[in-house]
Amino acid sequence: MSQFNLNNVFLLVMKVVIALVLSTFYFGFLFGQNERLPYVMFSEKAVVHTSLSLNSAPFKLSDDFNGFSKLSFQHNLNLIQGIGLAYQSFALEISYKLPGHIRNTEKYGKTKYFDLGLQFSYQNWDFTLGFQEYKGFGIRNAHMISNNLPLSSVGYYLNGNIKSRAFGVNAYRFFNPELRMKPAVGIVGRYTSPVHGAYLRLTSNIHGISSRNGIIPQGYLNTTSSIHKANTISAFDFGAVPGYAYINNLEGWQFGAFIGLGAVIQTKFYNFSNTNRGFLGLAPRLDLKLQAGYNVDNWFLMLTSQFDQKSIRFKDFKYNQTHYYLRLTYGYRFDYQLKLFKRKKP
């Protein structure tokens, strides 16, 4: 693509993003004036919660691999245990893999997993920070690459050195004053009536995949492309995702959805044979979060599903990864936390 055409595409995408952001402000103001519906916060209670979840981050590589055009990488599924504590404006959760794997390790390999999350609010913004790491993937239907590859009985080429890492910082601004992240999540607060409105998510991420012996077993490929020899593919990006949210609570049963679509400016790199190559580009971003459960004053039980799509493109070569999870969270709100911070009278 010529520099002229690339500039035209860049300007067109930026105009679309600006239009989406302006639309978000307009509709957020419009709908925010229609209803002012309350929520309940439990800022003076200490909330202890635990969760069980299934987390997954499969990715695909697409290109002309001389006979086929797509490679699908999947990891073994793990049951994830999470433990969290929230008090006032601070919330911290640590997640870790429970012993064992859901699928047979001889067929699908072993995967290590780690997740760390942090949430806090400042003025009218809600912030989230997150880090995820998966180690150990397998290429599905790897016989397409070569019949000489050592495959498992279900056709997986297993590589325990492949890592997927993602670190992200997100800032949410809701334009309906009654729409906030904390009662929407349902840990330190809950909604008592329906509320909806537009929001804007500012996002910045570092993400990618790596393997010291190569992501693709390129020794079996009959290609000369340098990116097929890469042992690291990564990107740093930042941008905006306008979206719309709806939340309701009917006699303790709370449910809601967040849906958004935007774009990020991306600096992307790949490394092969001690050589680094970097480029500048654009990438789409999708927001999708669904939640439902029972949430009352003293305790809650919430089921949450969230999808996060990440992508990197180098001309015809495409990397697409979908981070998603299904999580069941139980928590209890303790009243006696106040006594620990209450000063004694002289």
Side-chain angles (χ1 to χ4, degrees), residues 217-278:
Q218 52 85 24
Y220 294 88
L221 287 177
N222 186 23
T223 67
T224 59
S225 176
S226 61
I227 198 170
H228 295 170
K229 305 174 184 178
N231 50 40
T232 301
I233 299 173
S234 60
F236 167 75
D237 55 48
F238 62 93
V241 182
Y244 200 83
Y246 175 84
I247 306 167
N248 199 356
N249 190 310
L250 299 174
E251 299 181 354
W253 295 98
Q254 181 165 312
F255 53 92
F258 290 74
I259 301 176
L261 180 64
V264 294
I265 299 173
Q266 188 176 80
T267 55
K268 46 195 176 180
F269 310 89
Y270 71 89
N271 174 275
F272 71 99
S273 303
N274 297 320
T275 302
N276 291 288
R277 291 184 178 177

Side-chain angles (χ1 to χ4, degrees), residues 151-165:
L151 306 181
S152 71
S153 61
V154 292
Y156 274 60
Y157 173 71
L158 305 177
N159 187 344
N161 293 314
I162 296 180
K163 290 183 181 180
S164 167
R165 289 175 175 171

Side-chain angles (χ1 to χ4, degrees), residues 84-102:
L85 174 66
Y87 181 66
Q88 294 185 351
S89 62
F90 178 80
L92 176 66
E93 182 176 4
I94 298 176
S95 300
Y96 50 89
K97 183 184 78 69
L98 293 176
H101 294 79
I102 292 180

